[in-house]
Amino acid sequence: MDDESSKLYIVYMGSLPTGASYFSTNHHLSILQQVIDGNDVENRLVRSYKRSFNGFAAILNDQQREKLLSMRGVLSVFPSQNYHLQTTRSWDFLGFPRSIERDQTIESDLVIGVIDSGIWPEAESFNDKGFGPIPKKWKGVCAGGGNFSCNNKIIGARFYTDEEKTARDFGGHGTHTASTTSGREVKDASFYGLAKGTARGGVPSSRISVYKVCKGDGTCSSKDILGAFDDAIADGVDILTISIGSPFAVEFLKDPIAIGSFHAMEKGILTAHAAGNYGPRPSSVSSNAPWLFSVAASSIDRQFIDKVILGNGKTFIGKSINTIPSNGRKLPIAVHNAKSCQVANVTPEICGCMDQNMVRGKLVLCGQPGGEVLAYMNGAIGSIVQVPKSQNELAVVTAKPSLNMDPENYAHVKSYTNSTKYPVAEILKKIMKPDISAPGSDILAAFSPVASPTGDPDDKRSVKYNIISGTSMACPHVAGVAAYVKSFHPNWSPAAIKSAIMTTAKPINGTYNDMAGEFAYGSGNINPHQAVHPGLVYDITKQDYVQMLCNYGYDAYKIKKISGDNSSCHGASNISFLKDLNYPSLVIPIEPGKRFNVKIHRTVTNVGARNSTYRATIIPIQNIKISVKPNVLSFRSLNEKQSFVVTVVGRAISNQTAISSSLVWSDGTHHVKSPVIVQKSS
């Protein structure tokens, strides 16, 4: 069937035709018949997208791909890539206690779609005790495969993976994210006694529909991700959460998450998306699509601390989630990991190579992360790893006595080891203390009992709850808050909900390297209670996004195919107008070394008091003048709109890539805050 150059491609053809509720697989077969010779066309068609948008996945060679690209109606043809998963106390930390005002009747009508690695349906977080019947609006199905049952909590299940023909979660990631967003209250949940308390999701009364696109090893195919969006939109979910991404963003028409979430936005569905664990640095988010709600990981007041007691009695602190009791036993430390390494720029000190005879049965010191894996393969029974301070904020679950240390403490342990004939150390079992951490760090939530809590195949422990960190854990927090806001404002658009959450966020101060801190944490920490009452919102319609795509450079034909209607571009495309998308944050791109005078237009909608007056306040930036006109907005009715212009004037900024200010509109009760970022264009 295939020659060596054939591979799996996604063919994207835009929205469904106006008035159509689905598309025919036969239509996709007929398109393939025009580029493929022979009788194996049906074998080449891998998946049709036909319920919420138009496209298909097929096995093609380069010539067939080029033919398809030249056909009328085809917007893009791109390879199906492997994407990756972005891997209790958090809700209380966010000011979102169990006692917060909520309407459980409305919440129980909301359906959260979770695109991930599946779910463990028997987990206590997903019991349906006290739930009423499935909402009448629901159009989904329970097709979780053999030995998988739904209930009135998990009301939908589908799987797309070819290797694992079940919606059951074998890796634990999907179960963790689903319970963080929507899990029931479970008392006395913990990981071996750590982080003990009541585990719960943001909207415990909501329903869940799960779409398994990732295998147990964390890989997720583009074709399956698009298939999940196609079904979830048509099934009728209210909010989508997807903690999957790649190390870099790609063009919209080649990004399955951007494509799927655009069509979700068309139907009023907000998609929360993990921004990725590859930053913060410029261009490190997984997707740039503005209709997505991109989520970074920020902090809660909990941290897991380990102690190591050396043979000389001195104690030093590190981080890990180590549940293995030491029982007072001192373990020998390997003085040398190997005599030398045979590879350039690799040394035994960083665990780049190992001599099994030197490390077997001992603790190993590794000068940088990652080397401990090689140490364990060669028989080491534990590790102490040097981690830069910037990376030492998170603790990880370990299967062996181990901990991460900052360079200062690591140097003391190293010095003791090198100056002692028989160095030994005892790594204590984990303790906890109040500190500052994140809704993406050290998050306890439900887990698959058949998955290793550490990801190590040799770790055979089975747990009901696990502690994990990353933007994967932050994303479902935002999805839960979005669902909470939607329960109060069911008619708000995805953009209005997103604006409410962004403009009421609690500020986080500081910068990250030479960038504005907002590139690391966005608008700040989510503030669920205030997000329900934002005062003003920056709304964005589908037509606004279409005009943005026009300014991005897409031609009129592509615009009509993407939108599925008679949407058209207003004037010639102009990439400088991208800044005028009615977004809750304002980014001003400037050329290095040149003076600038930039105007940005915004419109706000009154969702607070009927009669209200808002005044603008700007936090000043040195050598840059920011003004707002008008600087007072007076409203006389709900849903009234008012526009304003922000003018930014100055000269080239210093050595920083970007600097930030903020614009706050306040009526004395509501404080509607937007980041203002001046960024050097590359």
PDB file of all heavy atoms in Angstrom, residues 481-497:
ATOM      1  N   VAL A 481     -12.244  27.096  36.807  1.00  0.00           N
ATOM      2  CA  VAL A 481     -12.692  28.467  37.075  1.00  0.00           C
ATOM      3  C   VAL A 481     -13.572  28.967  35.933  1.00  0.00           C
ATOM      4  O   VAL A 481     -14.587  29.634  36.157  1.00  0.00           O
ATOM      5  CB  VAL A 481     -11.486  29.400  37.295  1.00  0.00           C
ATOM      6  CG1 VAL A 481     -11.944  30.850  37.417  1.00  0.00           C
ATOM      7  CG2 VAL A 481     -10.718  28.991  38.549  1.00  0.00           C
ATOM      8  N   ALA A 482     -13.198  28.653  34.696  1.00  0.00           N
ATOM      9  CA  ALA A 482     -14.007  29.066  33.543  1.00  0.00           C
ATOM     10  C   ALA A 482     -15.411  28.473  33.635  1.00  0.00           C
ATOM     11  O   ALA A 482     -16.410  29.158  33.361  1.00  0.00           O
ATOM     12  CB  ALA A 482     -13.330  28.635  32.246  1.00  0.00           C
ATOM     13  N   ALA A 483     -15.508  27.208  34.031  1.00  0.00           N
ATOM     14  CA  ALA A 483     -16.816  26.577  34.193  1.00  0.00           C
ATOM     15  C   ALA A 483     -17.595  27.243  35.324  1.00  0.00           C
ATOM     16  O   ALA A 483     -18.817  27.438  35.228  1.00  0.00           O
ATOM     17  CB  ALA A 483     -16.648  25.087  34.465  1.00  0.00           C
ATOM     18  N   TYR A 484     -16.883  27.596  36.399  1.00  0.00           N
ATOM     19  CA  TYR A 484     -17.529  28.277  37.530  1.00  0.00           C
ATOM     20  C   TYR A 484     -18.108  29.620  37.078  1.00  0.00           C
ATOM     21  O   TYR A 484     -19.256  29.953  37.384  1.00  0.00           O
ATOM     22  CB  TYR A 484     -16.509  28.466  38.649  1.00  0.00           C
ATOM     23  CG  TYR A 484     -17.022  29.219  39.853  1.00  0.00           C
ATOM     24  CD1 TYR A 484     -17.965  28.648  40.699  1.00  0.00           C
ATOM     25  CD2 TYR A 484     -16.561  30.501  40.144  1.00  0.00           C
ATOM     26  CE1 TYR A 484     -18.432  29.338  41.814  1.00  0.00           C
ATOM     27  CE2 TYR A 484     -17.015  31.195  41.250  1.00  0.00           C
ATOM     28  CZ  TYR A 484     -17.951  30.617  42.080  1.00  0.00           C
ATOM     29  OH  TYR A 484     -18.420  31.295  43.178  1.00  0.00           O
ATOM     30  N   VAL A 485     -17.334  30.396  36.320  1.00  0.00           N
ATOM     31  CA  VAL A 485     -17.820  31.688  35.814  1.00  0.00           C
ATOM     32  C   VAL A 485     -19.006  31.473  34.877  1.00  0.00           C
ATOM     33  O   VAL A 485     -20.008  32.199  34.928  1.00  0.00           O
ATOM     34  CB  VAL A 485     -16.686  32.445  35.101  1.00  0.00           C
ATOM     35  CG1 VAL A 485     -17.219  33.710  34.421  1.00  0.00           C
ATOM     36  CG2 VAL A 485     -15.575  32.796  36.085  1.00  0.00           C
ATOM     37  N   LYS A 486     -18.912  30.453  34.025  1.00  0.00           N
ATOM     38  CA  LYS A 486     -19.997  30.178  33.077  1.00  0.00           C
ATOM     39  C   LYS A 486     -21.288  29.794  33.791  1.00  0.00           C
ATOM     40  O   LYS A 486     -22.385  30.076  33.307  1.00  0.00           O
ATOM     41  CB  LYS A 486     -19.582  29.067  32.107  1.00  0.00           C
ATOM     42  CG  LYS A 486     -20.536  28.873  30.926  1.00  0.00           C
ATOM     43  CD  LYS A 486     -20.010  27.843  29.956  1.00  0.00           C
ATOM     44  CE  LYS A 486     -20.962  27.646  28.770  1.00  0.00           C
ATOM     45  NZ  LYS A 486     -21.011  28.831  27.891  1.00  0.00           N
ATOM     46  N   SER A 487     -21.177  29.178  34.978  1.00  0.00           N
ATOM     47  CA  SER A 487     -22.387  28.804  35.720  1.00  0.00           C
ATOM     48  C   SER A 487     -23.157  30.037  36.181  1.00  0.00           C
ATOM     49  O   SER A 487     -24.373  29.980  36.384  1.00  0.00           O
ATOM     50  CB  SER A 487     -22.024  27.919  36.918  1.00  0.00           C
ATOM     51  OG  SER A 487     -21.378  28.651  37.943  1.00  0.00           O
ATOM     52  N   PHE A 488     -22.464  31.173  36.351  1.00  0.00           N
ATOM     53  CA  PHE A 488     -23.128  32.431  36.709  1.00  0.00           C
ATOM     54  C   PHE A 488     -23.535  33.224  35.473  1.00  0.00           C
ATOM     55  O   PHE A 488     -24.494  33.997  35.517  1.00  0.00           O
ATOM     56  CB  PHE A 488     -22.195  33.296  37.571  1.00  0.00           C
ATOM     57  CG  PHE A 488     -22.060  32.835  38.986  1.00  0.00           C
ATOM     58  CD1 PHE A 488     -21.130  31.861  39.321  1.00  0.00           C
ATOM     59  CD2 PHE A 488     -22.868  33.355  39.994  1.00  0.00           C
ATOM     60  CE1 PHE A 488     -20.997  31.427  40.629  1.00  0.00           C
ATOM     61  CE2 PHE A 488     -22.747  32.925  41.307  1.00  0.00           C
ATOM     62  CZ  PHE A 488     -21.811  31.956  41.632  1.00  0.00           C
ATOM     63  N   HIS A 489     -22.793  33.049  34.388  1.00  0.00           N
ATOM     64  CA  HIS A 489     -23.033  33.837  33.168  1.00  0.00           C
ATOM     65  C   HIS A 489     -23.079  32.896  31.961  1.00  0.00           C
ATOM     66  O   HIS A 489     -22.168  32.898  31.125  1.00  0.00           O
ATOM     67  CB  HIS A 489     -21.928  34.877  32.997  1.00  0.00           C
ATOM     68  CG  HIS A 489     -21.723  35.764  34.190  1.00  0.00           C
ATOM     69  ND1 HIS A 489     -22.611  36.746  34.560  1.00  0.00           N
ATOM     70  CD2 HIS A 489     -20.728  35.780  35.125  1.00  0.00           C
ATOM     71  CE1 HIS A 489     -22.173  37.359  35.653  1.00  0.00           C
ATOM     72  NE2 HIS A 489     -21.037  36.782  36.019  1.00  0.00           N
ATOM     73  N   PRO A 490     -24.135  32.084  31.847  1.00  0.00           N
ATOM     74  CA  PRO A 490     -24.174  31.059  30.796  1.00  0.00           C
ATOM     75  C   PRO A 490     -24.163  31.617  29.382  1.00  0.00           C
ATOM     76  O   PRO A 490     -23.821  30.898  28.446  1.00  0.00           O
ATOM     77  CB  PRO A 490     -25.477  30.304  31.092  1.00  0.00           C
ATOM     78  CG  PRO A 490     -26.290  31.227  31.941  1.00  0.00           C
ATOM     79  CD  PRO A 490     -25.319  32.037  32.730  1.00  0.00           C
ATOM     80  N   ASN A 491     -24.517  32.896  29.207  1.00  0.00           N
ATOM     81  CA  ASN A 491     -24.577  33.468  27.862  1.00  0.00           C
ATOM     82  C   ASN A 491     -23.316  34.236  27.474  1.00  0.00           C
ATOM     83  O   ASN A 491     -23.246  34.781  26.370  1.00  0.00           O
ATOM     84  CB  ASN A 491     -25.797  34.392  27.744  1.00  0.00           C
ATOM     85  CG  ASN A 491     -27.097  33.628  27.905  1.00  0.00           C
ATOM     86  OD1 ASN A 491     -27.234  32.511  27.416  1.00  0.00           O
ATOM     87  ND2 ASN A 491     -28.059  34.209  28.605  1.00  0.00           N
ATOM     88  N   TRP A 492     -22.343  34.285  28.359  1.00  0.00           N
ATOM     89  CA  TRP A 492     -21.102  34.977  28.017  1.00  0.00           C
ATOM     90  C   TRP A 492     -20.323  34.188  26.969  1.00  0.00           C
ATOM     91  O   TRP A 492     -20.327  32.954  26.961  1.00  0.00           O
ATOM     92  CB  TRP A 492     -20.236  35.146  29.255  1.00  0.00           C
ATOM     93  CG  TRP A 492     -20.622  36.321  30.118  1.00  0.00           C
ATOM     94  CD1 TRP A 492     -21.747  37.086  30.019  1.00  0.00           C
ATOM     95  CD2 TRP A 492     -19.873  36.855  31.213  1.00  0.00           C
ATOM     96  NE1 TRP A 492     -21.752  38.061  30.987  1.00  0.00           N
ATOM     97  CE2 TRP A 492     -20.618  37.948  31.738  1.00  0.00           C
ATOM     98  CE3 TRP A 492     -18.664  36.528  31.809  1.00  0.00           C
ATOM     99  CZ2 TRP A 492     -20.175  38.702  32.825  1.00  0.00           C
ATOM    100  CZ3 TRP A 492     -18.216  37.273  32.893  1.00  0.00           C
ATOM    101  CH2 TRP A 492     -18.966  38.349  33.393  1.00  0.00           C
ATOM    102  N   SER A 493     -19.642  34.926  26.113  1.00  0.00           N
ATOM    103  CA  SER A 493     -18.811  34.298  25.084  1.00  0.00           C
ATOM    104  C   SER A 493     -17.531  33.739  25.721  1.00  0.00           C
ATOM    105  O   SER A 493     -17.164  34.121  26.840  1.00  0.00           O
ATOM    106  CB  SER A 493     -18.425  35.325  24.024  1.00  0.00           C
ATOM    107  OG  SER A 493     -17.507  36.267  24.569  1.00  0.00           O
ATOM    108  N   PRO A 494     -16.836  32.823  25.028  1.00  0.00           N
ATOM    109  CA  PRO A 494     -15.541  32.363  25.546  1.00  0.00           C
ATOM    110  C   PRO A 494     -14.581  33.519  25.833  1.00  0.00           C
ATOM    111  O   PRO A 494     -13.865  33.497  26.833  1.00  0.00           O
ATOM    112  CB  PRO A 494     -15.022  31.463  24.421  1.00  0.00           C
ATOM    113  CG  PRO A 494     -16.246  30.949  23.749  1.00  0.00           C
ATOM    114  CD  PRO A 494     -17.222  32.091  23.794  1.00  0.00           C
ATOM    115  N   ALA A 495     -14.577  34.531  24.969  1.00  0.00           N
ATOM    116  CA  ALA A 495     -13.670  35.664  25.169  1.00  0.00           C
ATOM    117  C   ALA A 495     -14.041  36.464  26.411  1.00  0.00           C
ATOM    118  O   ALA A 495     -13.154  36.957  27.130  1.00  0.00           O
ATOM    119  CB  ALA A 495     -13.680  36.567  23.939  1.00  0.00           C
ATOM    120  N   ALA A 496     -15.334  36.617  26.687  1.00  0.00           N
ATOM    121  CA  ALA A 496     -15.766  37.363  27.875  1.00  0.00           C
ATOM    122  C   ALA A 496     -15.361  36.628  29.150  1.00  0.00           C
ATOM    123  O   ALA A 496     -14.894  37.240  30.121  1.00  0.00           O
ATOM    124  CB  ALA A 496     -17.275  37.580  27.838  1.00  0.00           C
ATOM    125  N   ILE A 497     -15.522  35.304  29.163  1.00  0.00           N
ATOM    126  CA  ILE A 497     -15.102  34.510  30.325  1.00  0.00           C
ATOM    127  C   ILE A 497     -13.594  34.624  30.515  1.00  0.00           C
ATOM    128  O   ILE A 497     -13.101  34.821  31.632  1.00  0.00           O
ATOM    129  CB  ILE A 497     -15.519  33.037  30.142  1.00  0.00           C
ATOM    130  CG1 ILE A 497     -17.049  32.916  30.144  1.00  0.00           C
ATOM    131  CG2 ILE A 497     -14.912  32.165  31.236  1.00  0.00           C
ATOM    132  CD1 ILE A 497     -17.552  31.532  29.783  1.00  0.00           C
TER     133      ILE A 497
END
